[in-house]
Amino acid sequence: MEHRQGFLGKYVFSFDHKVIGIQYIVTAILMAVIAGALAVIIRTRLAWPGVGAKAFPPEAYISFVTMHGTLMVFFVVSLALSGLANFLIPLQIGARDMAYPFLNMLSFWTVVPACLIMLASFFVTGGAAASGWTAYPPLSAVKEAVPGSGLGQTLWLLGMALFIFSFTMGGLNFLTTTLNLRTRGMTMRRMPITVWGFLVATVLAILAFPPLTAAALMLLADRHLDTSFFVTDMLMGGKYRALGDGTPLLFQHLFWFLGHPEVYVLVLPCICMTFDILPAFTRRPIFGYRPSVYAMLVIGVLSMIVWGHHMFVTGMNPYVGKYFSIATVIITAPFSILGVNLLASLWRARMRFATPMLFALAVISAVGLGGFGGLFLGTMTSDIYFHDTYFVVGHFHLMIGTVTLLSIFGATYFWFPKMFGRMMDERLGRWHFWLTAGPMITIFVLMHMQGLGGMLRRTYDPSLYPYNEHNSTLRLPITLLAFLLFLAQSIFVWNFTKSIFKGEKAPANPWEATTLEWQAPSPPPHGNFGEQLPVVHRFAYEYSPGEGQADFVPQTVEKTA
Amino acid sequence: MTTMATTESRWTGGLSPFGMSWQKLMMWWFIVTDALLFAGFLGGYGFSRLGSANWPAPSKVFSMPFLTVMTFVLISSSATMACAVAAAKARDRAAVARFTALTLLGGVIFLSMQAWEWAHFIGDGGRPAGNPWGDARFGSYFFLVTGFHGTHVLLGVVILLIVALRARKDRYTDNGVEVAGLYWHFVDLVWVFIFGCFYLI
Ligand code: HEM
Ligand SMILES: [Cu+2]
């Protein structure tokens, strides 16, 4: 493996999976600052309705909600996971790099313009897209519908197209690498469960994103070639418009065919990284490795055929809804296996409380809380009431917001020493943990309460509606907690930046963990593992194997028969 | 004593479980994802057509004999592609160049016929936004799906051109020819589905 010299080759257009991984993570952090600031602005509006309405009109509100959702899902959580996958997969399976490093570099440099286009869309006439992160027609399909339906929406579609393109290239690399480049002895059943999580998630993404690409192309045609895939004759702004013969329902089907699996694309790797963090701090193997892997495979298959639970109230045939409802409730079975295995991994633990472990424990709570709400949304009868309320907002923030962010934080604290060869500050880490996990979970549980009270989402001024009066008490507390949460992230940014340069030097295996990445130096050199690739002799989680033996046995240690 | 010998199977690591290069594996996954893109289009097409009251009968709009010839040309090019792959395995340089060029020719003929068909369709009044025969989406889907497939064929022609040139200079690898062949077969297979969905039923 040849070294590429110079600053550009080493840090900017690097082919090295570790550098690319860190580039993704840093990009995700930058995007998170923006997406988080949008959340704070949204919350400010909701807490003090009516104040400053001139400066911040309803059109801007819905634009900000749209962009907050889009950026968070695709440009924060997805990018952070791409980064961790890039960094971890080759190291954990004992490979020197991704199968096709050049393509890997290209994936990252395709997502950068995507980010820039998304951000640029705030500054064009009409402002950023305003049709929700779901880009529902007709708001997204008719250019004159609302100000954000103009150039802003076109840029949104362009940015998403580039994102999907990049994600697909990255996914092809992950799959090929995981299947073909495992080192000798690294059977599928010895793989760290994180690699399994990324494997299942990548297959899902590869299968689910293309129909959204199809929908995006059709939407572009509707906007610019006057086709009518997704629009029909309708009243708009008080005028009758003959738009064509299509139906918005088709877009919703194509969108949610992606949208639902995407949730698992985000959540499965996060749950798996949490699985991976736990044993280093419980000093026990994780509980139920194989059932968890099988459960994930079942979830993967089922997640492709439940998308209609987002569409119970859209005018879709109710019998079809019934099918989607039953299929959705079936998913809770394999999902509960994952949750219970997480919890059972704590059984007879010999706990070491370090920051990554604190985050892992909070993830377990969030999985439980979030999964519980899902039951009510998957059941058609109750969803008819809950649909489009803050119950939904609270629920999906617990799953794709809290579970993901908390485990990404945990993973960052955990693998930081491997990335930069230095430890993150433990004291700052704890402050960050308490000021993040606490407010975050509280905010979203409180949103469930407002939803139970009937408060609708995507509402500019909730005080306008008399029926909503009883929901007003929670508005201010939620917003104040959101401020606290946002400010607390500066602790993380400071800790991250400071530790890169000034952190305590990390040994190769600071957490006394068993998997391959910890057998390489911190940070690993170009090519990861010196002259010889490691050979794997045992399961990924051999902690406390028995009386009178070592506390943990790395995967590279030969079995003595 | 190591247990490596006893657990010897394709999945032990250190080798590809399917016995194929990463290039080929990656192409397979690409085909899977691209197939789903077409599935998205065709699914949308089915959804729209089944829910439409005035979808035109394809046989009234398109010339079936012409389309049959078009389809025949493309499928024949799959056969010549298979010959090129076999020749590459046998390290027969001249045959690789010859069969790749033939495949390429098939692709170019197909594209020309498609261009002619588009011209005809447009001449009869078909537009992306509407058409004289019925449901406005009939023409939209026609341009979208055949256009998207045509783009794939065009890309395939470019790839084949590169393969043919490299074969002439003896710079080809049998792996490379095979990967290009996979793509070409896929594009042909997709056409069969499009032919079935758009023109036959
Ligand atoms: C942690 C702090 C966060 C806060 C305080 C927050 C707040 C909000 C609020 C209040 C809304 C609803 C606005 C409305 O419907 O009127 C919203 C929407 C949304 N948020 Fe967040 N959010 C946060 C983080 C996240 C994260 C991490 C994600 C990641 C995946 C996310 C994804 C979304 C999505 C998809 C929407 C829906 C947008 C739409 O309706 O189109 N949020 N957020
Ligand atoms: Cu769903």
Side-chain angles (χ1 to χ4, degrees), chain A residues 179-180 182 185-186 207 210 226 245, chain B residues 11-12 14 16-17 37 136-137:
Chain A
L179 291 173
N180 262 16
R182 280 166 295 119
M186 181 58 84
L207 296 177
D226 288 328
D245 300 329
Chain B
W11 291 91
T12 50
S16 164
L37 188 51
R137 291 166 294 171

Side-chain angles (χ1 to χ4, degrees), chain A residues 39 42-43 46 61 65-66 68-69 72-73 77 132-134 266 390 393 396-397 400-401 405 440 443-444 447 457-459 482 485:
Chain A
I42 297 169
R43 278 315 315 179
L46 291 172
Y61 178 82
V65 170
T66 301
H68 158 74
M72 280 291 190
V73 172
V77 177
W133 81 284
T134 49
L266 303 181
Y390 266 73
V393 178
F396 71 65
H397 276 94
I400 62 168
L405 287 192
M440 212 186 244
I443 288 172
F444 299 130
M447 283 188 183
R457 69 190 276 204
R458 295 175 180 168
T459 305
L485 178 61

